Amino acid sequence: MRRIVFILCLLWGACVAAYAQDGFKITGTLGGNLGGKLVLVGNGAEGAVSLGETVMIDGDFEFTGKVDGMILAYILTEERQPVATLMLENLEYLLVAGENGIEVQGGGDSQKVLNEFEAVNRRIAREKMLVEQQMKAAYAQQNQMQLQALQQQFSKVMQEAGEKQAELLKTYKDSPVSAFIVASGMGQMDYVSLQTVFDELGEPARNSLFGQMIVQCLAAMKDVEIGAIAPNFKGSMVNNDTLSLYGVKAKLKLVDFWASWCAPCRQEMPNVCKVYKKYHDKGLEIIGVSLDSKILDWQQAMVVEKMKWLNIVDAQQQIATRYFVRGIPHTLLLDENNRIIAKNLRGKTLEKKIAELLGDK
């Protein structure tokens, strides 16, 4: 009988070991009276996919399942608020409440690398919150010296954080986590900066899913760099007619991304009016691309600013996204073949360039 029990124990242990190697287990012990539904979402080559749901009771929860290789995963509340980010493999993970937020313990090497990057991000978030609180108090007291000191303090924190992140990217240049970190921030980078950072990644990171996402982003960015043929776009005008970039024929085209609610855009409009009046008959055409979501505001602004040139609305910002417009006003100068000649010129610099290109001495 003892031998049978011993054999059964061995079989049970083998089954448990096999499960531990074959699937993942995520345990949360956050404490307190936290509760509610949680979802586990994976983000792989096929996009977002649900990996499971559970209910947290008094801060405790558990997910189990299986993934094919490592996958980026997020634990979210039912309202889609982030709880934790995982480099999920078929391993065990423990989530606990730490001094600076939720800490992820366990997992593999990739999770440990991610934790180091996350520590940098948590420091930035913590310092940002403290500085904002102090700046509100200083602003209420009209203490300009204190405001300036706080801005310098936060700038120093951001510089140190950037240096630390660069150090981590160099240390873990082969890790797919480094590619993930770069991919997460590439929307705020220009083409040259992103290409430089990507080139410094190791081949395993560049060949990872996140590395390939960067490759795709770089290709899209290159399409709107100076020297490239601008991608065509279409949009609705005030009279509901459709206008396309390629359908507009001119020696020189100025594409101007703006919005009625954008103060710098409105301040620049007199300059745009000036160049339009001066150079329209010499071959200049302007295509305004408004990011307004309220059509009436867009229409009224065109009347107030005396815009006589072509204008379309990009309420869903699909065109702006394709052109990597991160702030407005944002301008592009195109030649008659829609080749991008210059970007983000304004005021006298814009007028000087237009005069040069149209041969107006």
Side-chain angles (χ1 to χ4, degrees):
M1 176 62 71
R2 289 181 179 178
R3 180 176 177 81
I4 294 174
V5 171
F6 178 70
I7 292 173
L8 289 175
C9 288
L10 286 177
L11 290 172
W12 172 253
C15 290
V16 171
Y19 174 80
Q21 295 174 3
D22 196 42
F24 64 80
K25 180 179 180 181
I26 306 169
T27 304
T29 56
L30 306 184
N33 57 358
L34 296 172
K37 182 180 176 181
L38 297 177
V39 294
L40 180 64
V41 178
N43 191 4
E46 305 300 323
V49 58
S50 176
L51 297 176
E53 298 180 357
T54 191
V55 176
M56 176 167 56
I57 301 175
D58 293 333
D60 294 340
F61 64 89
E62 183 179 290
F63 287 101
T64 57
K66 182 179 179 180
V67 289
D68 296 327
M70 187 185 70
I71 186 172
L72 175 66
Y74 301 97
I75 297 178
L76 309 170
T77 66
E78 190 172 12
E79 294 77 25
R80 291 302 190 263
Q81 293 299 312
V83 176
T85 303
L86 305 173
M87 288 295 172
L88 187 59
E89 302 176 72
N90 292 317
L91 299 167
E92 291 193 4
Y93 298 78
L94 175 64
L95 274 63
V96 298
E99 292 183 2
N100 299 313
I102 297 174
E103 298 177 358
V104 180
Q105 301 175 359
D109 290 339
S110 291
Q111 185 63 48
K112 293 178 176 63
V113 173
L114 178 61
N115 289 347
E116 291 193 47
F117 281 104
E118 291 278 89
V120 176
N121 293 334
R122 282 197 297 269
R123 185 194 172 196
I124 294 174
R126 184 173 64 253
E127 292 290 339
K128 184 173 183 289
M129 182 180 67
L130 291 173
V131 168
E132 285 178 345
Q133 291 173 348
Q134 293 171 337
M135 288 185 74
K136 285 181 181 179
Y139 184 78
Q141 298 169 5
Q142 295 296 301
N143 190 334
Q144 295 299 323
M145 289 186 64
Q146 178 68 3
L147 285 170
Q148 186 176 2
L150 288 169
Q151 289 172 347
Q152 292 175 349
Q153 174 186 330
F154 187 64
S155 295
K156 184 178 179 182
V157 170
M158 290 296 291
Q159 180 181 350
E160 291 174 352
E163 291 171 354
K164 178 60 178 176
Q165 188 177 75
E167 180 185 327
L168 290 174
L169 287 172
K170 184 176 181 180
T171 301
Y172 301 114
K173 64 186 180 74
D174 290 333
S175 172
V177 178
S178 292
F180 164 65
I181 295 299
V182 174
S184 298
M186 64 187 176
Q188 302 304 313
M189 301 173 71
D190 59 38
Y191 175 78
V192 174
S193 299
L194 182 57
Q195 184 69 65
T196 299
V197 175
F198 179 74
D199 289 343
E200 291 174 352
L201 293 175
E203 186 174 351
R206 294 199 300 266
N207 291 335
S208 69
L209 170 64
F210 310 112
Q212 292 308 299
M213 290 170 60
I214 301 171
V215 169
Q216 293 174 10
C217 183
L218 283 168
M221 282 182 166
K222 193 172 183 179
D223 287 344
V224 294
E225 283 294 292
I226 294 175
I229 300 297
N232 195 19
F233 58 76
K234 295 180 180 181
S236 297
M237 298 193 296
V238 175
N239 58 7
N240 291 323
D241 284 348
T242 298
L243 177 144
S244 72
L245 173 64
Y246 288 3
V248 177
K249 305 302 179 184
K251 290 182 181 179
L252 192 64
K253 301 179 190 178
L254 173 65
V255 181
D256 183 19
F257 290 89
W258 71 285
S260 66
W261 42 261
C262 169
C265 300
R266 302 294 289 266
Q267 291 169 2
E268 177 65 14
M269 281 307 163
N271 296 322
V272 181
C273 287
K274 180 181 176 182
V275 298
Y276 183 74
K277 289 179 182 178
K278 190 172 182 178
Y279 295 102
H280 177 59
D281 291 340
K282 297 179 181 180
L284 173 69
E285 190 57 83
I286 299 178
I287 303 169
V289 182
S290 169
L291 305 190
D292 279 288
S293 58
K294 297 179 180 178
I295 302 301
L296 285 178
D297 291 348
W298 167 51
Q299 294 173 338
Q300 290 172 1
M302 284 191 289
V303 173
V304 172
E305 301 295 347
K306 300 178 182 179
M307 298 183 191
K308 304 298 184 181
W309 53 89
L310 301 170
N311 244 291
I312 62 174
V313 66
D314 182 27
Q316 303 301 319
Q317 300 190 15
Q318 294 178 342
I319 303 172
T321 299
R322 179 67 185 86
Y323 274 78
F324 292 89
V325 175
R326 300 180 180 87
I328 51 176
H330 179 93
T331 61
L332 300 97
L333 269 177
L334 314 180
D335 67 13
E336 58 187 346
N337 298 313
N338 298 300
R339 187 175 301 279
I340 301 173
I341 302 170
K343 298 171 72 173
N344 282 323
L345 300 182
R346 290 188 280 277
K348 292 182 179 180
T349 306
L350 174 63
E351 183 177 359
K352 182 179 179 181
K353 187 67 175 179
I354 290 174
E356 172 192 321
L357 292 169
L358 290 178
D360 187 3
K361 305 297 182 182

